[in-house]
Amino acid sequence: MRFIEPGTPQGFELIPSLAVMGSTPVWVKEGKYNPIRIDGASVSVEKLVKELTEEFGVLHYLDILGIRKGVVEWDLFRSAVEKGGNLWADMGVLYSEGLIDVIMAGAEMAVVTTKMIDSLEEIVSSFELTENLALQIDYDRNILSKDKQIRNMSPGELVSEMASFGMDTFILDDISEGRERIDVKFLLDVIKHLPPRGKVYVGIEDLSEIRELSGTEVTGAIISCSKLVEGVE
C-alpha cells in the first residue's frame, strides 16, 4: 500500500479515519458511500487497519451501520483490533451502556458524538464507565444534539462542562453545508475552554487544512483514509 505524503508538522497528530459498512470498507464518492478499491482491486478491512495503523499509529474506526441502524459487526471489529491495536471507535453509541461492548471489543478510545448520544447525562455516565473516551462535537452553526440542554450550549460551554468531570479529549466535526474550512469561531471557542493538558482533534476534508491548524493549539486532525492512500477509486 502506497501512502500520500501529508506534510504533517512535527508534534501534530494525523489520524486516518476508516468507514466500514457491514464488512466492507467504504469512502464517500460523489456524495455516496462506495466500496474502497485500490488500483482497481478490493481490499479488506483488516488489511487497511493493519497498514494504516503501522503507518500512522492510530486509526479512527467509523461503523456506518452502527450509527444508522444500531447494527455493529463486532467480530469484524475485534479482528481489526487484533490487526491494528490502537483504534478509536465510533459505533453510534446512544446510551452509556452501549460503551461496554466497545470497551470489551478492545477499542483504545471510545468515541461518543453529540449527534447520537441521548443526553448530557449519558455523556457523563459514559465517562464514568471509561476514561478512554473522546467526545465528538457535531456542529452546523450550532451543536447538533437530541438534547435541548446541549443544543443551547456553545461548544466552549459544553467543553467546560465535560472538563469539570475530568474529560480532556474532544473531536470537532464541522459539517456545515459547503464547508471548506472549519468555522474559526467554533474552533477558537473550544480552544479557549480546553482544560489543562486537554486535547482537541479536528475533522478535516483536505490535507491543505493541516497547515492552518498546526499554528493553533489543535492537537491533531482526523481525515478519511481515502485521502492518504494512493490509488483509491
Side-chain angles (χ1 to χ4, degrees):
M1 196 172 293
R2 309 181 312 279
F3 296 100
I4 295 166
E5 175 53 54
T8 310
Q10 186 174 3
F12 188 89
E13 299 177 33
L14 184 63
I15 301 176
S17 180
L18 174 61
V20 176
M21 185 174 288
S23 59
T24 305
V26 296
W27 67 303
V28 177
K29 183 179 181 182
E30 297 176 355
K32 297 180 180 180
Y33 283 111
N34 287 270
I36 291 178
R37 297 174 64 84
I38 299 177
D39 296 326
S42 299
V43 59
S44 70
V45 169
E46 291 91 342
K47 179 176 176 60
L48 280 166
V49 168
K50 182 177 186 297
E51 300 214 20
L52 286 164
T53 52
E54 285 178 354
E55 180 72 15
F56 295 95
V58 182
L59 178 69
H60 176 267
Y61 187 102
L62 187 68
D63 192 299
I64 303 302
L65 294 185
I67 293 169
R68 290 183 175 178
K69 300 181 178 180
V71 179
V72 176
E73 291 287 342
W74 290 111
D75 288 343
L76 176 63
F77 180 71
R78 283 188 283 268
S79 177
V81 169
E82 291 176 1
K83 295 292 183 182
N86 193 351
L87 269 63
W88 292 20
D90 179 357
M91 303 303 203
V93 171
L94 299 174
Y95 304 101
S96 57
E97 291 86 351
L99 278 180
I100 296 172
D101 290 332
V102 182
I103 297 164
M104 294 299 292
E108 184 73 19
M109 183 79 76
V111 178
V112 296
T113 70
T114 60
K115 188 175 180 180
M116 293 297 297
I117 198 75
D118 192 65
S119 66
L120 191 64
E121 289 74 21
E122 290 297 331
I123 299 174
V124 175
S125 296
S126 296
F127 189 66
E128 291 173 349
L129 280 174
T130 177
E131 293 186 357
N132 292 340
L133 184 74
L135 173 62
Q136 177 174 305
I137 302 176
D138 299 304
Y139 184 81
D140 184 355
R141 299 174 181 83
N142 292 289
I143 298 176
L144 299 177
S145 175
K146 305 170 187 175
D147 186 344
K148 184 177 179 181
Q149 185 178 2
I150 295 176
R151 292 198 306 271
N152 288 338
M153 288 179 164
S154 73
E157 288 170 341
L158 179 58
V159 168
S160 290
E161 181 74 9
M162 292 301 99
S164 71
F165 292 97
M167 190 178 295
D168 62 4
T169 304
F170 303 91
I171 299 170
L172 311 185
D173 192 18
D174 183 354
I175 57 175
S176 304
E177 185 176 357
R179 166 220 185 290
E180 294 183 356
R181 294 291 187 271
I182 188 169
D183 186 314
V184 174
K185 182 180 177 182
F186 171 35
L187 178 61
L188 294 180
D189 185 37
V190 168
I191 288 175
K192 180 181 177 182
H193 292 88
L194 273 180
R197 296 179 297 280
K199 295 183 178 181
V200 60
Y201 298 84
V202 174
I204 62 174
E205 299 293 328
D206 192 88
L207 290 171
S208 64
E209 295 180 69
I210 293 175
R211 181 178 299 177
E212 299 167 23
L213 294 173
S214 64
T216 69
E217 294 177 51
V218 169
T219 308
I222 299 174
I223 189 170
S224 169
C225 65
S226 65
K227 302 292 181 72
L228 296 169
V229 178
E230 291 187 2
V232 171
E233 58 186 47

